[in-house]
């Protein structure tokens, strides 16, 4: 039963975020902030043999940003770097059953954090 502007999935991932926390020996870390709302998202990736084997996040932000982070970690686990690079904020929003228009930017934050983390990984590998 969806109440208010959020889908059940958004509420579920907001109330029970998956993969919240940090990875100490992360292969790549991406942090992005949205200056308009002040929300900040940090995404940690563990990459082995070109595959994302673990992902965790810390998000200081709104419910939609937390739900988007949570869904993003779920979607990218087990994916190759190239596959993960194709993940768009629309796909994250879709997997969450949609976000209200005013909250689309929260899923953009997740996409940007993912790209930043993959960039960081490539830099550490010396392939950026
Ligand atoms: Fe800014 Fe959601 S209101 S990320």
């Amino acid at each position: 039963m969806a109440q208010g502007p959020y889908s059940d999935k958004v509420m579920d991932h907001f109330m029970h975020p998956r993969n919240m926390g940090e990875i100490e020996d992360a292969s790549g870390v991406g942090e992005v902030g949205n200056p308009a709302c002040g929300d900040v998202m940090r995404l940690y990736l563990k990459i082995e043999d070109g595959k994302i084997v673990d992902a965790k996040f810390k998000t200081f932000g709104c419910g939609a940003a937390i739900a988007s982070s949570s869904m993003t970690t779920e979607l990218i686990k087990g994916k190759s770097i190239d596959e993960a690079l194709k993940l768009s904020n629309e796909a994250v929003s879709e997997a969450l059953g949609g976000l209200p228009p005013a909250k689309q930017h929260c899923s953009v934050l997740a996409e940007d954090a993912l790209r930043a983390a993959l960039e960081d990984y490539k830099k550490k590998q010396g392939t950026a």
Side-chain angles (χ1 to χ4, degrees), residues 34 37-39 61-65 102-103 105-106 109:
N34 182 318
C37 62
D39 292 351
C62 72
K103 289 286 173 182
H105 80 268
C106 316
L109 206 58

Side-chain angles (χ1 to χ4, degrees), residues 2-66:
Q3 281 183 335
Y6 292 119
S7 70
D8 290 345
K9 273 230 172 100
V10 173
M11 289 311 291
D12 179 35
H13 278 262
F14 169 52
M15 305 294 272
H16 312 283
R18 324 295 199 267
N19 310 306
M20 203 157 63
E22 38 189 297
I23 299 174
E24 267 184 28
D25 54 342
S27 321
V29 183
E31 183 177 302
V32 291
N34 182 318
C37 62
D39 292 351
V40 179
M41 188 179 293
R42 198 180 300 152
L43 186 69
Y44 302 82
L45 300 177
K46 181 97 193 139
I47 297 172
E48 276 166 20
D49 298 328
K51 270 216 158 73
I52 298 173
V53 293
D54 201 9
K56 288 201 190 314
F57 76 91
K58 272 195 166 170
T59 293
F60 305 92
C62 72
I66 289 167

